[in-house]
Amino acid sequence: MSENNQNDPQTTGHQWDVEADGSGALEEFDNPIPTWWLWGFYGSFVICFGYWILYPVWPMGDTFTKGISTIEYTSEGVQKSSHWNTRALFLSDLQTGEESLKMQKHMDELSNASYDEILNDPKQMAFARAAAKGIFGDICASCHGRGGVGVIGLFPNLADDDWLWGGKIETIEKTIRGGRNGFMPSFKDSFTSEQLDQVVEFVYSLSQADADAAKAAQGEEIFKGQTGGCHYCHTKEATGMKAQGSANLTDSIWTIADVPGAADGAAKRAAIRAVVEGGVSRQMPSWSARLSDTQIKLLAVYVHELGGGQ
């Protein structure tokens, strides 16, 4: 038997799949663990102990070890300190993180700018759109829908160019800040069934070509006379008044009666009649107590752009 060469690979001595003649054996090397790997393994224990000391780790009854690492953040204007946790880290990052500081800088610039400066500055407009889109989605979209398309009969469409209360950006801010009360009395007990049909026919004739001219003329007298008094809010031209939030009945844009969705003339008349009979009562809440001045300004810019502004 020959002596083993020191340069021969060291094995564990185990062999598998040995043929009858002793050939074809599979052997397992017995090489030492690399030094760098061994020190990395020991180092992981050191890191673990450090982690256990700094951060929350071990459950203890109904609580847990809090660790000695702390995070500073501001809550409702009060400086607070907390043991390290993801919630405190998130709040701190929102206030002092690099991206948060950049965003706050842009917010401050926008807050101090006039509406004309914002609308004429592409960079500020890009920031305003991006920031306001999130605010709109959180608090406005639940009623006005994604993109501000509204719901006929319930919530106005903010994406068209028909403004019940006015589309100037200062007016939109006033609407957001103070809210709006939309009201039209019910005429169910004021008109006879025949008078209701006549007024409905007149309103129908303002935007539909197949109206009964004779009946519409009778309805116009009621609309513009003391019997109905509709013109006090909608004006004698039926174009509405932004000071009252009364709808323009001549522009084929319907915010309450779902005339566009009606299948035929009879259904369209029925939709108008339901509004005249039942009246309108809807309210948009004031957001002045729940949004900052800057957030309201952002929303005013965003909504102004949705509908093309005025």
Side-chain angles (χ1 to χ4, degrees):
M1 181 181 294
S2 62
E3 294 184 0
N4 289 333
N5 191 319
Q6 290 183 348
N7 295 324
D8 288 343
Q10 300 298 309
T11 67
T12 60
H14 300 145
Q15 293 184 341
W16 295 269
D17 294 339
V18 182
E19 300 291 341
D21 61 358
S23 64
L26 296 177
E27 297 180 290
E28 181 181 6
F29 287 139
D30 187 18
N31 293 328
I33 296 175
T35 303
W36 65 265
W37 190 97
L38 192 61
W39 282 110
F41 179 69
Y42 293 147
S44 66
F45 281 92
V46 176
I47 293 172
C48 284
F49 280 114
Y51 191 97
W52 296 344
I53 294 170
L54 292 173
Y55 303 111
V57 178
W58 298 108
M60 297 178 60
D62 60 352
T63 184
F64 54 90
T65 58
K66 303 296 194 298
I68 64 174
S69 181
T70 60
I71 295 179
E72 305 287 335
Y73 63 94
T74 302
S75 177
E76 298 180 352
V78 179
Q79 188 73 17
K80 293 187 177 182
S81 178
S82 169
H83 69 273
W84 190 98
N85 60 78
T86 53
R87 181 176 182 275
L89 180 63
F90 175 70
L91 291 174
S92 177
D93 189 55
L94 282 178
Q95 296 163 9
T96 61
E98 181 180 354
E99 295 303 320
S100 297
L101 292 176
K102 288 181 182 178
M103 181 175 180
Q104 189 58 52
K105 178 183 176 182
H106 291 309
M107 281 287 196
D108 292 340
E109 291 174 354
L110 188 141
S111 179
N112 295 322
S114 67
Y115 282 125
D116 284 339
E117 290 172 335
I118 296 170
L119 294 174
N120 292 302
D121 186 334
K123 289 184 178 179
Q124 287 203 352
M125 277 302 302
F127 174 77
R129 289 191 194 98
K133 186 176 182 180
I135 302 172
F136 187 92
D138 287 341
I139 67 171
C140 307
S142 57
C143 291
H144 291 286
R146 185 177 181 180
V149 295
V151 179
I152 292 180
L154 296 174
F155 312 109
N157 184 350
L158 305 178
D160 59 20
D161 60 355
D162 184 61
W163 301 90
L164 290 176
W165 300 93
K168 292 184 178 180
I169 198 165
E170 293 81 6
T171 306
I172 296 172
E173 178 187 332
K174 183 178 179 181
T175 298
I176 298 170
R177 192 178 295 279
R180 294 292 185 183
N181 289 309
F183 176 75
M184 169 181 154
S186 167
F187 288 90
K188 182 178 181 180
D189 299 325
S190 303
F191 295 159
T192 65
S193 180
E194 184 180 12
Q195 287 174 322
L196 275 169
D197 287 340
Q198 292 167 347
V199 171
V200 167
E201 196 66 24
F202 172 66
V203 174
Y204 180 81
S205 72
L206 294 173
S207 60
Q208 307 295 318
D210 60 334
D212 183 319
K215 187 182 287 187
Q218 293 172 319
E220 183 177 6
E221 290 183 12
I222 299 171
F223 186 95
K224 297 180 180 180
Q226 295 301 315
T227 303
C230 309
H231 64 284
Y232 289 126
C233 291
H234 291 284
T235 74
K236 288 192 175 183
E237 293 76 26
T239 53
M241 285 194 297
K242 290 180 171 57
Q244 296 287 337
S246 54
N248 182 347
L249 305 177
T250 68
D251 60 4
S252 300
I253 298 176
W254 301 88
T255 64
I256 303 294
D258 190 8
V259 173
D264 52 31
K268 292 178 181 180
R269 290 176 175 88
I272 297 171
R273 184 183 179 112
V275 176
V276 178
E277 280 188 320
V280 175
S281 180
R282 59 183 183 177
Q283 181 184 49
M284 173 182 160
S286 165
W287 292 97
S288 60
R290 286 173 278 187
L291 295 175
S292 68
D293 289 342
T294 303
Q295 288 175 316
I296 290 175
K297 179 179 279 190
L298 283 167
L299 279 176
V301 172
Y302 184 75
V303 173
H304 181 267
E305 293 301 294
L306 276 181
Q310 273 188 357

